[in-house]
Amino acid sequence: MRPANRLVAQVLEALEAAVAPGVTTADLDVLAERMVRDGGAVPAFKGYRGYPATLCTSVNAEVVHGIPSPKRVLADGDIVSIDMGVKLDGFFGDSAVTVPVGKVPDRTKDLLRVTRESLERGIGQVKVGGRVSDIGHAVQEWVEAHGFSVVREFVGHGIGEHLHEEPPIPNFGSPGRGAKLAEGMVLAIEPMVAMGRHEVRVLGDGWTAVTKDGSLAAHFEHTVAVGANGPLILTGRASAAGVAAGAR
């Protein structure tokens, strides 16, 4: 699964660098699809249950599944969550990052930092003999300790020859429950965190999920293998220094 996930990491790194005021989410989608296809892969999301794009680009209060649009122009102070996956040689990769657009307030920086750190905390629970719920417990504990909320309606998942596989990986709950982790399992771990309350609703497009209270939301995701000696982060990026160290 390494090649598919390496490509995802490379594309996300390019997208992070491309985010700027005046760029549209459709611009990002065009760049992503070109890089995916040039890499010999196909977009994992495009056509999945009718989804129309390569990326999910969720801006500000949009939590996940925002559809790229030439009308959605990024502005200074926005944040944009970019989620993408590919299929390469029969295997899937999946990762997400939330990127500030220009200058953002300190509390927004805190939201991004804590969400990214909660992913690190969750990944830290990936070990042979651990339980799936250990991951979500670590995420929730870190997020709530900093005054934010874990979105409950969407969860991480297993990944491999299919984009979504067992087991589901909630970002909340008590430890010591759920499937036992075994060497060779591969998991897409993806905390989604709101600045305000955790409740969400889906817009009329049938895809875009937003916070009910209109508060900002962040989303970070890595595809992680259960290694004999701990987690192997398959989608590690140089620009994600805090978690890229685990990519081997």
Side-chain angles (χ1 to χ4, degrees), residues 3-4 6-8 10-11 14 29-43 54 84-89:
R6 191 178 301 119
L7 179 58
V8 169
Q10 291 168 349
V11 175
D29 196 65
V30 169
L31 171 61
E33 182 165 0
R34 183 174 70 245
M35 289 187 68
V36 168
R37 296 193 185 279
D38 286 350
V42 295
T54 294
M84 67 159 295
V86 307
K87 184 179 183 181
L88 179 62
D89 296 331

Side-chain angles (χ1 to χ4, degrees), residues 59-71:
V59 181
N60 295 334
E62 297 171 357
V63 182
V64 285
H65 305 155
I67 301 172
S69 168
K71 297 179 180 179

Side-chain angles (χ1 to χ4, degrees), residues 3-232:
N5 285 282
R6 191 178 301 119
L7 179 58
V8 169
Q10 291 168 349
V11 175
L12 276 181
E13 203 153 40
L15 293 171
E16 283 187 76
V19 167
V23 172
T24 71
T25 53
D27 293 334
L28 299 176
D29 196 65
V30 169
L31 171 61
E33 182 165 0
R34 183 174 70 245
M35 289 187 68
V36 168
R37 296 193 185 279
D38 286 350
V42 295
F45 298 176
K46 195 168 190 178
Y48 181 79
R49 297 183 178 175
Y51 188 75
T54 294
L55 300 178
C56 294
T57 51
S58 305
V59 181
N60 295 334
E62 297 171 357
V63 182
V64 285
H65 305 155
I67 301 172
S69 168
K71 297 179 180 179
R72 194 63 186 260
V73 182
L74 298 176
D76 191 70
D78 286 343
I79 58 174
V80 56
S81 298
I82 305 171
D83 187 6
M84 67 159 295
V86 307
K87 184 179 183 181
L88 179 62
D89 296 331
F91 292 96
F92 284 86
D94 191 5
S95 187
V97 62
T98 302
V99 184
V101 183
K103 295 181 179 180
V104 299
D106 286 345
R107 189 57 174 165
T108 302
K109 293 178 184 176
D110 289 343
L111 173 67
L112 270 58
R113 175 182 57 81
V114 169
T115 307
R116 186 178 62 249
E117 290 172 348
S118 76
L119 174 58
E120 296 172 12
R121 295 277 172 144
I123 291 171
Q125 298 301 311
V126 175
K127 50 195 170 188
V128 174
R131 297 281 185 174
V132 163
S133 69
D134 298 343
I135 298 169
H137 177 73
V139 169
Q140 181 181 17
E141 198 170 50
W142 190 253
V143 167
E144 293 181 353
H146 290 83
F148 301 118
S149 301
V150 172
V151 171
R152 288 156 166 74
E153 284 86 345
F154 302 97
V155 300
H157 50 92
I159 183 171
E161 294 183 17
H162 300 89
L163 179 59
H164 294 124
E165 298 183 352
E166 294 294 324
I169 306 168
N171 295 301
F172 60 94
S174 301
R177 300 179 180 178
K180 185 177 286 190
L181 302 181
E183 185 178 358
M185 290 177 69
V186 185
L187 313 172
I189 302 171
E190 50 179 326
M192 288 149 272
V193 176
M195 188 176 282
R197 293 182 58 83
H198 66 79
E199 294 89 354
V200 303
R201 62 186 179 89
V202 177
L203 299 183
D205 62 18
W207 285 101
T208 308
V210 302
T211 56
K212 280 188 176 179
D213 63 6
S215 65
L216 296 181
H219 178 202
F220 286 82
E221 176 183 18
H222 272 307
T223 294
V224 183
V226 182
N229 299 311
L232 302 173

